[in-house]
Amino acid sequence: MEKGIHKVFMKPEEIPTDVNKIFGPMGQFREFMMMYSSAIKEVRTKFEILNDDLAVSYNRNPIEMIKSRIKTPESIINKMQRKNLEINMNSLMYYIEDVAGIRVICSFIDDIYEVANMLVSQDDITLVSVKDYIKHPKPNGYRSYHMIVEVPVFFANRRQNMKVEVQLRTIAMDFWASLEHDMKYKKEIEGASEIVAQLKECADGIAAIDAKMQAINYSISEFGK
């Protein structure tokens, strides 16, 4: 997931000319991006309400931060090419599931699974797929909990089900992922293989710390009962 907060609307001058040729009229592409931005608002609001409810009911906030992004047109086209898809609006709608993305940063590992379950338990949320990179980390050490969810969004004259990618991770996991992302996009970095090994070592250490912090938090919570 790219870093940064997404823009709700793209100005006409921000849309590359070749994108207009590929996806059709500029207005159609802008409308499509608006629909994904609206889907992000829907899902983000759900997480914010869950966090507020848990704060009132249980005096705790499992969510530390929420970030969101919309894929750039160039990123969308590159992904379509990697997946050998026809580059058109139909492919974008039905085969690219992570145009809209939300990253939820939690305090503890247990919070990740609890918040994820609370979200998908809601009647208007459909769980499309799950990839658990916490229980099954990537070879480079990457850890995060990924979901694709579908949420209905109501516009002026229609209802549209929209897919949103949700990534949930701890603060430490997010810090590691940001550093690994920066390193991955640096070309011809000196000592790259050594840095990759160091990052893997850090990832394993972070996993151990997250588990230990979870155990300490559990002991504190039990003591307060």
Side-chain angles (χ1 to χ4, degrees):
M1 179 181 290
E2 294 88 351
K3 296 192 294 183
I5 304 303
H6 77 282
K7 296 180 180 180
V8 176
F9 297 105
M10 299 181 69
K11 297 178 181 178
E13 61 270 20
E14 293 177 324
I15 304 176
T17 304
D18 57 342
V19 172
N20 297 326
K21 293 178 181 178
I22 292 170
F23 290 116
M26 183 185 301
Q28 184 179 4
F29 186 77
R30 290 189 70 209
E31 180 183 14
F32 215 61
M33 293 300 100
M34 177 276 294
M35 291 165 65
Y36 278 113
S37 293
S38 299
I40 282 180
K41 290 179 184 178
E42 292 281 349
V43 177
R44 184 180 186 125
T45 298
K46 287 178 178 295
F47 279 120
E48 290 172 347
I49 291 172
L50 284 174
N51 208 36
D52 290 345
D53 184 31
L54 289 169
V56 172
S57 301
Y58 300 99
N59 195 31
R60 70 186 192 90
N61 293 98
I63 297 175
E64 295 285 344
M65 186 185 306
I66 301 174
K67 304 177 184 179
S68 56
R69 66 99 178 99
I70 294 286
K71 272 188 178 297
T72 64
E74 292 85 356
S75 181
I76 292 170
I77 292 171
N78 289 338
K79 184 154 191 175
M80 286 179 169
Q81 291 173 336
R82 291 196 303 270
K83 294 169 74 73
N84 294 318
L85 296 171
E86 291 187 20
I87 301 177
N88 54 41
M89 295 296 288
N90 186 67
S91 294
L92 175 60
M93 184 69 177
Y94 293 103
Y95 298 108
I96 305 299
E97 298 183 323
D98 62 344
V99 175
I102 288 184
R103 184 181 302 152
V104 180
I105 314 302
C106 295
S107 303
F108 302 101
I109 295 173
D110 282 359
D111 291 334
I112 290 173
Y113 292 103
E114 182 180 14
V115 169
N117 287 334
M118 287 180 175
L119 177 71
V120 299
S121 295
Q122 297 187 19
D123 293 341
D124 59 344
I125 289 286
T126 299
L127 178 62
V128 177
S129 64
V130 171
K131 292 181 180 179
D132 191 342
Y133 295 117
I134 297 175
K135 293 180 180 177
H136 307 284
K138 291 185 178 182
N140 67 349
Y142 175 84
R143 288 170 169 83
S144 188
Y145 188 81
H146 292 199
M147 300 188 297
I148 301 294
V149 299
E150 195 170 68
V151 60
V153 182
F154 294 86
F155 300 101
N157 57 359
R158 69 196 185 284
R159 161 183 162 157
Q160 180 68 50
N161 290 331
M162 303 295 298
K163 290 179 181 176
V164 177
E165 181 190 48
V166 179
Q167 297 180 359
L168 300 102
R169 56 179 68 152
T170 64
I171 299 170
M173 290 176 193
D174 188 57
F175 178 46
W176 183 94
S178 295
L179 190 60
E180 194 272 342
H181 179 275
D182 289 343
M183 184 269 173
K184 183 164 54 179
Y185 287 95
K186 294 284 186 181
K187 295 182 179 180
E188 299 180 359
I189 186 169
E190 186 176 348
S193 59
E194 182 181 346
I195 293 174
V196 169
Q198 290 176 348
L199 281 169
K200 177 61 168 63
E201 184 180 346
C202 288
D204 294 339
I206 284 171
I209 291 172
D210 270 336
K212 191 169 185 178
M213 294 292 285
Q214 178 70 69
I216 292 171
N217 182 62
Y218 180 78
S219 297
I220 293 172
S221 299
E222 287 295 301
F223 180 78
K225 290 183 179 179

